[in-house]
Amino acid sequence: GIYYSQVSSPSILGNVINGDNSSKAGPGIFSLSSNGSIRGNTIIGHLHGIELGNSSPEVAENYITGNKDHGIFVGDQSVPNLSLTSLDGEGYPLTGYNNIFENGECEYDRNAEINVVESYIELSGGCNTIADNRIEIPEFCSNVLLIDGRSVSDVIYAEKNYWGNHPEYGHDPTGRFREEVEIIYDGFLDEPCTYNESEGFFVM
C-alpha cells in the first residue's frame, strides 16, 4: 500500500489500493507521525485498511472493506477526525462520510471495523457507515464488534453515524462495542448518509 512517515501535511486522495489479502499483506495506508488528509480512497484486501501511529489525519469519503483485521487501526497517540467538517454546506466533505464495512477474518475474535488502542477517534455527526451485517461467516467466527479497543483516552462521541442493518441487531449498535470502550451513539441513523455534491470546485 502507501507508507509515509513524519510528513507534515500529506494528501492521500482518490486512490484505489487493492491487496491480495495474503498472510503477508500490510496496511493499505500506513501513516506514522503524520497528519494531513486521507480522502476518497478505496482500500481492499490488506491487513488493515488504514493504520495510524502517532497520526491525526482528516479522513473522508473512503471506501474500506474486505481487509483481514480491521478497517481502521488507530494506534498509539493518534486522533483521526471522521466527524463532520465541510465547506460550502455539504458540497465538499473534508471529514466523515466514510464507508467502513465487513472487514476482519475473525482471528482471535478481534476483528472489529475500527480498533482504537491507546488513542482516540472523532466520530461525532460524521455520517459514516460503520457496519458488518455478516452472520457467523465462517461459522466459527463472530462478526459482532464494530468498535474494539483498549486504553482509549476519553469517551468516544459517535452520534449520527450509520451502523448497518444486521439481521439480528438491525440498525441499533447496542452490544456491538468492546466493553472497555465507552461510546455515545444515541441518534444513530436508520439509513446511510448522502450529500449533494457541489457543481463548483474549490482550491486549497
Side-chain angles (χ1 to χ4, degrees):
I2 296 174
Y3 169 89
Y4 55 97
S5 175
Q6 300 182 60
V7 182
S8 60
S9 297
S11 294
I12 311 299
L13 309 176
N15 302 281
V16 177
I17 309 171
N18 285 332
D20 61 5
N21 224 341
S22 70
S23 60
K24 295 182 179 179
I29 294 176
F30 182 27
S31 173
L32 182 62
S33 300
S34 303
N35 296 322
S37 179
I38 300 174
R39 187 167 73 247
N41 302 285
T42 297
I43 309 170
I44 302 170
H46 291 270
L47 178 65
H48 311 298
I50 297 173
E51 181 174 352
L52 305 174
N54 192 30
S55 297
S56 302
E58 296 183 339
V59 184
E61 298 184 272
N62 298 286
Y63 183 92
I64 304 171
T65 188
N67 297 285
K68 288 177 68 66
D69 281 7
H70 308 287
I72 300 180
F73 182 87
V74 186
D76 188 31
Q77 298 182 42
S78 298
V79 187
N81 186 359
L82 283 74
S83 63
L84 182 61
T85 307
S86 66
L87 295 177
D88 187 29
E90 294 185 347
Y92 301 105
L94 301 181
T95 55
Y97 290 96
N98 297 281
N99 197 338
I100 307 162
F101 71 101
E102 294 182 358
N103 296 280
E105 292 187 353
C106 318
E107 258 185 82
Y108 314 113
D109 193 31
R110 306 288 282 198
N111 61 316
E113 300 304 309
I114 297 174
N115 194 7
V116 184
V117 178
E118 297 185 6
S119 53
Y120 186 73
I121 186 169
E122 296 182 10
L123 290 169
S124 178
C127 276
N128 301 286
T129 293
I130 304 168
D132 195 331
N133 297 329
R134 298 174 292 179
I135 294 185
E136 306 300 323
I137 301 174
E139 60 186 33
F140 58 82
C141 161
S142 170
N143 297 296
V144 170
L145 291 182
L146 297 174
I147 298 181
D148 198 350
R150 66 177 188 274
S151 302
V152 179
S153 60
D154 203 349
V155 175
I156 295 174
Y157 290 90
E159 68 280 5
K160 199 178 178 184
N161 289 284
Y162 176 67
W163 305 96
N165 187 16
H166 192 275
E168 180 180 346
Y169 294 91
H171 303 298
D172 189 340
T174 301
R176 304 194 69 185
F177 308 116
R178 184 71 65 179
E179 291 182 1
E180 299 173 36
V181 184
E182 187 177 354
I183 297 181
I184 305 299
Y185 55 88
D186 290 343
F188 58 84
L189 304 175
D190 291 339
E191 57 185 24
C193 282
T194 59
Y195 66 93
N196 295 319
E197 188 170 352
S198 174
E199 294 181 359
F201 65 93
F202 71 96
V203 178
M204 296 182 65

